Amino acid sequence: MAKSNNQAGELSPTEFLAKKYFDQAEKYFTGDGVPVDFKRAADGYAQSAKLGYAPAIFSLGVCYIRGMGVAHDEQRAYELIKQAADMGNTDARFTLGHFYFEGSVVARDYDKAVEIFREAAAVNHPGGLNDLGYCYQRGLGVEQDLEKAFEYFMRAAEYDFAAAQNNVGDCYNFGRGVTADGEKAFLYYYRAAQNGYAIAQNNVGMCYLNGRGVKVDYAQAVHWFELAGKQGNPVAVANLGFCYETGRGVEKSAQKAVQLYTIAADADSAPGQYNLAKCLRDGVGIKADVERAFSLFKRSAEQQFPVAYAELADCYARGIGTKPDPELAAKYKKLAEDAGYPTA
């Protein structure tokens, strides 16, 4: 099987045709000179895959993972990606690690996932470097080592890999494996944001909102929250709601804030649930509804959103939206205090 970067003259007729189908499919997948059409992309990958072209087999597997141009099918995705991995495709081998990491189709096995990520990292695959860093950061399949995690994130970031750039930003922001440095955190968040990474765009917005590593600029904060929100990032939508509620960078509007909080909460965003709960409890921009407020505080707390612990403790202590429960009030009061959010 010829490698995908071979010159056309080195390919057999079958390989040449397979690569032609694959290249055309890539254009439809990325919108390179043609309108994006995932169905035609998947069909092209399938034609190429039938001819045994490993990159197409892998790409078709990705289509099945994401449900792009074909119905979402984890089992079919696994079969295709394993086939491509067995043919020596590095991207497929790396992606196979995620099946073990997530416990999707195959049994969850962090050790096996780390083994695969390490193989990918050994050939400087940015995704492998980044995911190996994540395993070291969380202590999954390896002993936790924040300094090693930072090292792998940094190596991946050097390849302009947006997720790794954002992770480096987090390390500098929170002092994980490296001395905390707000300016460096902002720099790496900004690089990832420029690469279109929605999580980083939200983080850049937070830096501008709070003056972390950069001067406070509410208009810029709103700009970046809007960009991330347009990509479906619910935390950014909640943060944009906060800007509307407080009049930071936009005209103050409690009703608009509630609308945005609701969108974020429906997408299971803990900040969205928390902020909407506060509006419902206090009747800000919406009719007061303490029972619904309590429910949302609880959902936010279940996602370990620390400020929600304090509000939930207050609800149980004073019987807001629920029956008073001194034991649960004490439990959530302690959780809030342990997280650095003391209650009254």
Side-chain angles (χ1 to χ4, degrees):
M1 181 69 200
K3 299 293 184 183
S4 61
N5 62 350
N6 279 0
Q7 297 299 314
E10 299 174 345
L11 303 178
S12 71
T14 299
E15 292 167 333
F16 178 80
L17 183 59
K19 189 174 185 303
K20 181 179 178 181
Y21 286 141
F22 174 78
D23 290 343
Q24 188 63 35
E26 288 280 89
K27 290 182 178 180
Y28 281 113
F29 193 88
T30 61
D32 180 11
V34 296
V36 170
D37 188 329
F38 295 129
K39 176 65 168 60
R40 295 184 74 169
D43 288 345
Y45 290 142
Q47 286 180 298
S48 181
K50 287 179 181 178
L51 298 174
Y53 194 56
I57 296 170
F58 165 69
S59 295
L60 184 59
V62 171
C63 288
Y64 276 105
I65 290 175
R66 299 177 181 174
M68 302 173 80
V70 292
H72 173 79
D73 187 333
E74 290 278 336
Q75 180 64 46
R76 181 59 177 150
Y78 172 77
E79 293 168 356
L80 288 163
I81 288 169
K82 187 176 187 306
Q83 180 185 349
D86 291 343
M87 295 170 70
N89 184 277
T90 303
D91 288 331
R93 179 66 176 163
F94 158 70
T95 305
L96 195 63
H98 279 271
F99 284 94
Y100 289 102
F101 187 88
E102 301 292 342
S104 173
V105 181
V106 295
R108 176 171 284 164
D109 187 336
Y110 290 131
D111 291 340
K112 182 67 173 177
V114 166
E115 175 189 328
I116 294 172
F117 295 154
R118 202 181 295 281
E119 289 175 5
V123 294
N124 292 320
H125 186 288
L129 290 165
N130 181 67
D131 286 353
L132 187 56
Y134 183 83
C135 290
Y136 273 110
Q137 185 180 78
R138 301 291 181 175
L140 300 172
V142 291
E143 185 176 346
Q144 186 180 44
D145 188 326
L146 297 183
E147 291 184 0
K148 272 191 178 180
F150 175 75
E151 174 189 336
Y152 281 114
F153 289 149
M154 183 62 81
R155 285 176 59 189
E158 290 171 356
Y159 289 93
D160 208 29
F161 192 67
Q165 292 168 332
N166 183 73
N167 286 334
V168 171
D170 279 344
C171 289
Y172 277 120
N173 195 19
F174 301 107
R176 295 173 182 158
V178 68
T179 302
D181 187 321
E183 290 184 1
K184 288 183 178 178
F186 175 78
L187 172 65
Y188 279 94
Y189 285 150
Y190 192 76
R191 288 177 179 173
Q194 286 184 311
N195 282 327
Y197 195 61
I199 295 172
Q201 290 172 342
N202 176 68
N203 287 334
V204 168
M206 290 299 295
C207 288
Y208 277 117
L209 185 69
N210 298 317
R212 178 62 169 163
V214 68
K215 289 182 179 179
V216 169
D217 188 326
Y218 295 142
Q220 278 294 309
V222 167
H223 168 72
W224 288 102
F225 291 149
E226 287 178 338
L227 285 180
K230 287 176 181 176
Q231 293 198 65
N233 184 284
V235 177
V237 174
N239 288 332
L240 185 59
F242 175 79
C243 291
Y244 274 100
E245 183 181 0
T246 57
R248 287 172 165 85
V250 290
E251 185 176 348
K252 189 173 181 178
S253 172
Q255 290 75 23
K256 180 67 173 178
V258 166
Q259 178 187 356
L260 291 165
Y261 289 152
T262 301
I263 292 170
D266 288 346
D268 213 26
S269 159
Q273 292 161 350
Y274 170 80
N275 286 321
L276 180 58
K278 287 180 65 179
C279 291
L280 285 162
R281 181 194 62 193
D282 302 333
V284 174
I286 192 172
K287 184 179 179 180
D289 184 337
V290 292
E291 286 81 12
R292 189 178 169 206
F294 167 77
S295 176
L296 286 164
F297 281 137
K298 189 174 181 182
R299 285 172 60 192
S300 182
E302 286 170 351
Q303 295 194 63
Q304 300 180 344
F305 194 60
V307 291
Y309 294 146
E311 299 293 352
L312 201 55
D314 188 50
C315 287
Y316 280 119
R318 297 197 290 152
I320 300 173
T322 187
K323 292 181 180 179
D325 190 320
E327 289 186 7
L328 287 175
K331 170 188 173 181
Y332 283 103
K333 182 176 186 293
K334 186 177 187 309
L335 285 171
E337 290 172 347
D338 289 347
Y341 293 91
T343 59

